[in-house]
Amino acid sequence: QSALTQPRSVSGSPGQSVTISCTGTSSDVGGYNYVSWYQQHPGKAPKLMIYDVSKRPSGVPDRFSGSKSGNTASLTISGLQAEDEADYYCCSYAGSYTWVFGTGTKVTVL
Amino acid sequence: EVQLVETGGGLIQPGGSLRLSCAASGFTVSSNYMSWVRQAPGKGLEWVSVIYSGGSTYYADSVKGRFTISRDNSKNTLYLQMNSLRAEDTAVYYCAGDSSSSRLDYWGQGTLVTVSS
């Protein structure tokens, strides 16, 4: 159950697009279409942004999109806004009814 | 409106035990998939345990044999019994749930557990 690998930080100017990668193995990200993404502002609980690789819960702006290729999943934020500045975590099913989170990425809006 | 409220955190000595509770409103614990996720100070999220709607329970290797997840349907409350606590268990513990096992749409505000002598 090793944590999935994410870049420590990414940044972009308002209106730009940023992409966060989430790299695992064939035993987790690559083996199942059960990748979700969570946004966490400082001192707050995480918020679900994407589930099942690319599905968006109601209420999440369509600026947020998810995808997967092989053992790497990605979250793209298009049209970056100031309120998108937060930590983002991926999460994947890892088999045997267990789950694993990513190391987390800090998104900075310049 | 769904609300999940965790209680039971605090300062505990290494080797001690603690039971966390997560009271739900607007959401039926027994009909959904309920998880515990923790976050050590300044660190990332770590999945801890899940209880399925059918009652099956599963754990991360780091807590297996020490932690027990359970629920009281009459109180609509989720629990995490934590035994043989270690310094590395120090974290904010969140309860979270959803109707699907592949996502966590509802989260509590978290409760801090500090394991220290």
Side-chain angles (χ1 to χ4, degrees), chain A residues 1-25:
Chain A
Q1 295 177 344
S2 297
L4 308 174
T5 301
Q6 297 181 230
R8 200 168 186 86
S9 64
V10 298
S11 61
S13 299
Q16 289 187 329
S17 294
V18 295
T19 297
I20 304 168
S21 60
C22 169
T23 302
T25 69

Side-chain angles (χ1 to χ4, degrees), chain A residues 2-107:
Chain A
S2 297
L4 308 174
T5 301
Q6 297 181 230
R8 200 168 186 86
S9 64
V10 298
S11 61
S13 299
Q16 289 187 329
S17 294
V18 295
T19 297
I20 304 168
S21 60
C22 169
T23 302
T25 69
S26 57
S27 297
D28 37 61
V29 175
Y32 310 94
N33 288 322
Y34 294 133
V35 176
S36 52
W37 289 89
Y38 299 86
Q39 176 192 66
Q40 186 180 35
H41 287 106
K44 301 293 188 182
K47 175 186 176 183
L48 177 68
M49 305 303 284
I50 295 287
Y51 68 97
D52 294 353
V53 176
S54 60
K55 298 177 182 177
R56 247 186 340 269
S58 60
V60 172
D62 59 7
R63 303 184 289 103
F64 291 86
S65 62
S67 63
K68 192 187 84 166
S69 177
N71 297 337
T72 299
S74 299
L75 174 71
T76 297
I77 309 173
S78 306
L80 199 61
Q81 297 184 5
E83 59 262 35
D84 300 333
E85 183 161 298
D87 293 325
Y88 291 81
Y89 295 90
C90 60
C91 180
S92 174
Y93 182 64
S96 300
Y97 305 100
T98 65
W99 299 82
V100 60
F101 278 94
T103 51
T105 299
K106 180 175 178 60
V107 171

Side-chain angles (χ1 to χ4, degrees), chain B residues 16-70:
Chain B
S17 297
L18 208 58
R19 188 179 80 158
L20 306 182
S21 300
C22 171
S25 58
F27 188 81
T28 303
V29 167
S30 61
S31 302
N32 290 280
Y33 299 88
M34 300 298 298
S35 295
W36 288 97
V37 175
R38 68 184 180 183
Q39 186 169 35
K43 302 297 184 182
L45 300 174
E46 179 185 13
W47 177 80
V48 173
S49 180
V50 63
I51 183 166
Y52 278 33
S53 53
S56 299
T57 60
Y58 304 94
Y59 302 90
D61 288 344
S62 58
V63 306
K64 197 175 297 182
R66 300 188 300 122
F67 289 12
T68 302
I69 190 172
S70 64

Side-chain angles (χ1 to χ4, degrees), chain B:
Chain B
E1 179 192 7
V2 173
Q3 268 203 317
L4 300 176
V5 179
E6 303 97 332
T7 56
L11 176 63
I12 187 77
Q13 291 190 337
S17 297
L18 208 58
R19 188 179 80 158
L20 306 182
S21 300
C22 171
S25 58
F27 188 81
T28 303
V29 167
S30 61
S31 302
N32 290 280
Y33 299 88
M34 300 298 298
S35 295
W36 288 97
V37 175
R38 68 184 180 183
Q39 186 169 35
K43 302 297 184 182
L45 300 174
E46 179 185 13
W47 177 80
V48 173
S49 180
V50 63
I51 183 166
Y52 278 33
S53 53
S56 299
T57 60
Y58 304 94
Y59 302 90
D61 288 344
S62 58
V63 306
K64 197 175 297 182
R66 300 188 300 122
F67 289 12
T68 302
I69 190 172
S70 64
R71 67 190 183 206
D72 184 329
N73 297 344
S74 65
K75 295 182 178 179
N76 204 27
T77 298
L78 177 74
Y79 300 102
L80 185 67
Q81 177 66 44
M82 304 186 295
N83 299 331
S84 302
L85 282 162
R86 307 165 179 167
E88 54 264 37
D89 295 319
T90 293
V92 172
Y93 284 74
Y94 295 99
C95 72
D98 207 302
S99 58
S100 168
S101 63
S102 66
R103 64 187 186 221
L104 297 170
D105 204 5
Y106 303 106
W107 293 72
Q109 83 289 349
T111 186
L112 176 63
V113 172
T114 303
V115 184
S116 175
S117 54

